[in-house]
Amino acid sequence: MEIEAEGTKESLQGFQDEITNNPPLLATILDISTENKKIQGFTRFEIVKSLREKTRKTLISPDVSVCDDCITEMNDPGNRRYNYPFINCTNCGPRYSIIMDVPYDRQMTSMADFKLCDSCQAEYTNPLDRRFHAQPNACYDCGPKVQLFDSEKREVPTDNCIRKAVQLLQQGHCVAIKGLGGYHLAVDATNRDAVQKLRRVKNRGAKPFAVMADSTESIRRFADISEGEKKLLTSFQKPVVLLKKNSADSETALSEIAPRNKTIGVMLPYTPLHCLLFQYELKVLVMTSANKKSEPIVIDNEDAFTTLSELADFFLINNRDIYLRSDDSVIRQVCEKTCFLRRSRGYAPTPVVLAKQYPPVLALGGELKNTLCLLNGDKAIISQHIGDLDNPKAHDFFEMTAGHLTKIFDVTPERVAHDLHPDYLSTIHARKHIGVPVVAVQHHHAHIASCMAENHLNEKVIGIALDGTGFGDDGRLWGSEMMVCDYREYQRAAHLSYFPMPGGEVAIKEPWRLGISLLYQAFGKEFPVEKIPLFRNAGVDGKKADFILQMIDKKINSPETSGMGRFFDGISAILGVRETISFEGQAAIELEMIACEEDNLSHYDYSWDEDEMISVDAAMIVKGVVADLLLNEDISVISRKFHTTIIYLYSDLCGVVRDKTGLNKVTLSGGVFQNGILLEGFVKRLEGLGFDVYTHQQVPTNDGGIALGQAIIAAEAEFPDKSDSCVAHHLT
Ligand code: ZN
Ligand code: ZN
Ligand code: FE
């Protein structure tokens, strides 16, 4: 914004200091510049309507949790908005989720149909009022209303929908609740039967649920909260924060909510409606995104009744439309740093500010945990979480968001970036951008570039991308990459040796196949079956194992991978921790969760092929693991030693690459770094060896962050003459 102010030098300086040091709650000051102007003799404070610029440079606010002032008013029986579930002001309320187009005013939002009453209009037009130009401003007389229905779409007779909904929750019912960015399915978290039933009807397997608690005091009864975590929990973004469980609180069905997990995802109430729910004796609710498996979160009332009729017993709906869905954001703190597992509500579309200016680029992200990135100037707008693009509804949401972002930010992309994988839906979508140059970006190069970009690095680095799988430029599935790269080019420096994935995609869901594949590679057909837990409790018998060995021998549907995530999966299966999974990453997560706390720093032997491109012998590490099994070593110790092995291995490799290249900056990226032991271990060990280490703190380290890297790489790419597509360069 532009401010013209007149006064003495001192008072103007004081004015500027006040703005810099004490900005409004939602303001982010990126830069301040001042210039002297002719004295006009202003006599009053005035807000002047902005001139419509040729290019819209508007930034759009994310959705903001209800502010303290609004909560105070809502709890005041004398206030005209007493108990009103849609109270908001310029400091809080819905934004991104209700904006249909810019300029951002009420007519361009889903509030357009609600005509302001006289009282609200007076607030809206008064520059001294907290609701001056608060677009979603509303009250009982003119704003949205809640209604309560049963699953047959019959309105539930009551004079207080919210109190009635709480009673239903307390009786063990599942209530679908329309929130800020979509519907949640809620059940009382202290009711074991209700939680189990929700898990069953949602066909959720063992995937943890997030919970919402009324206060940090309630949370402390079942989880520890550090100072940093408290800051995150109570921030205006109100994300889900993964906290360490502190006991098996018998009142909370914790073991049902996050089984086999040391952490539990917790958030505080973030809408006025949530706050009202918690004023009646509720302490903790399971609040999980309301959707059918892998489909996007439900936002539409009619859709809710059809899609969720088998999941929810009751529906607490309202008539304020959600235009753009956004799921809850999920954060884990490691070494007191913020690690996004999902960056969505509250954060999108706040830009990541870059070190330099770029032309407009739209990057389409990956296939799983998809997000989009719209690059323009020195800002990268990263979309809310779109999800896995493996079903038509998610794909519609992807296309809608791509169109919406370019519209509301008024940017016409000059380039489109996509993953190198030829079959990804995002790749197929990229081909539709006729006339716009298209850049294919290698998956792990994108991961590394994403980490570089948010850390303002623009030079050659040692990039580490440890990941599930991504398409490599040799047509194989990569995922344990160490690269020497900048934005323009990359050189593969090291990776794990390849091993077969018998059954291809199926092996990702059935890690026992990977376990057998790793054992076969290490021992041939003679592995010590009796001592390996995989063969004890997984129902994997000689016949099943033989079948896998034959697939590998005959090279039937057994693509080769060097993915670190797959390596973790295989080890997890060998140890009998997890042989088949019900959600992505489950085997690796459970391997991390069982690892013993104390770290005596012993590890398994490793070695590599000292070639131009280092290939690490995965089999040697597998042999070490099995040797410990033969000694009846505890699997929690083996897991810890395995983690330590990977940390030491890569630290050594960084040393080798530093000796060759002189590079000292290391970036860490890829989904495997969601593992807290690895992330913390890598940072400590590498810093101990004198490296400058850079990690993700603004975008997810998983595939939710790759669109940023794709965008920068595409912006920097050089096109061959007259060509309108290119593959970002790989040096061989
Ligand atoms: Zn407010
Ligand atoms: Zn009103
Ligand atoms: Fe990835």
Side-chain angles (χ1 to χ4, degrees), residues 284-464:
V284 195
L285 281 178
V286 167
M287 286 287 253
T288 185
S289 299
N291 57 348
K292 280 213 168 147
K293 203 167 185 172
S294 85
E295 284 183 1
I297 184 171
V298 171
I299 53 174
D300 178 75
N301 292 342
E302 284 310 311
D303 190 25
F305 284 116
T306 44
T307 311
L308 307 175
S309 61
E310 282 157 27
L311 306 179
D313 305 313
F314 294 92
F315 292 77
L316 188 59
I317 76 164
N318 68 68
N319 56 343
R320 184 177 71 197
D321 287 341
I322 299 167
Y323 186 69
L324 210 60
R325 61 168 61 76
S326 60
D327 290 77
D328 295 319
S329 295
V330 185
I331 295 176
R332 179 181 190 184
Q333 277 215 328
V334 179
C335 308
E336 284 161 33
K337 284 181 182 163
T338 298
C339 304
F340 279 97
L341 304 183
R342 181 194 290 159
R343 182 185 183 275
S344 200
R345 177 190 50 78
Y347 297 93
T350 307
V352 173
V353 180
L354 306 165
K356 60 181 261 200
Q357 300 283 331
Y358 290 100
V361 175
L362 178 66
L364 302 174
E367 185 83 342
L368 299 178
K369 298 187 169 72
N370 182 277
T371 63
L372 304 166
C373 175
L374 184 63
L375 182 65
N376 191 27
D378 63 352
K379 296 188 182 59
I381 312 280
I382 295 151
S383 76
Q384 74 278 33
H385 169 78
I386 292 171
D388 300 350
L389 299 183
D390 56 1
N391 71 77
K393 279 193 180 172
H395 192 238
D396 289 349
F397 179 33
F398 166 86
E399 297 215 316
M400 185 259 195
T401 308
H404 188 65
L405 277 182
T406 49
K407 181 170 82 177
I408 60 175
F409 289 100
D410 196 24
V411 173
T412 309
E414 291 171 15
R415 291 179 179 185
V416 169
H418 64 91
D419 194 279
L420 189 60
H421 200 302
D423 303 330
Y424 278 4
L425 271 171
S426 47
T427 298
I428 294 160
H429 180 88
R431 298 197 192 109
K432 290 188 199 161
H433 280 261
I434 302 154
V436 182
V438 168
V439 183
V441 181
Q442 201 281 322
H443 190 91
H444 305 99
H445 188 204
H447 269 301
I448 296 165
S450 169
C451 187
M452 290 169 65
E454 70 161 84
N455 285 294
H456 291 187
L457 297 174
N458 191 3
E459 60 196 274
K460 275 215 157 44
V461 299
I462 303 173
I464 299 178

Side-chain angles (χ1 to χ4, degrees), residues 80-81 84 106 115-121 123 137-143:
R80 71 187 187 92
R81 292 190 181 87
Y84 182 58
R106 195 172 175 102
K115 193 178 173 322
L116 286 163
C117 69
D118 290 347
S119 309
C120 288
Q121 178 72 30
E123 294 165 340
N137 191 23
C139 72
Y140 281 110
D141 293 336
C142 65

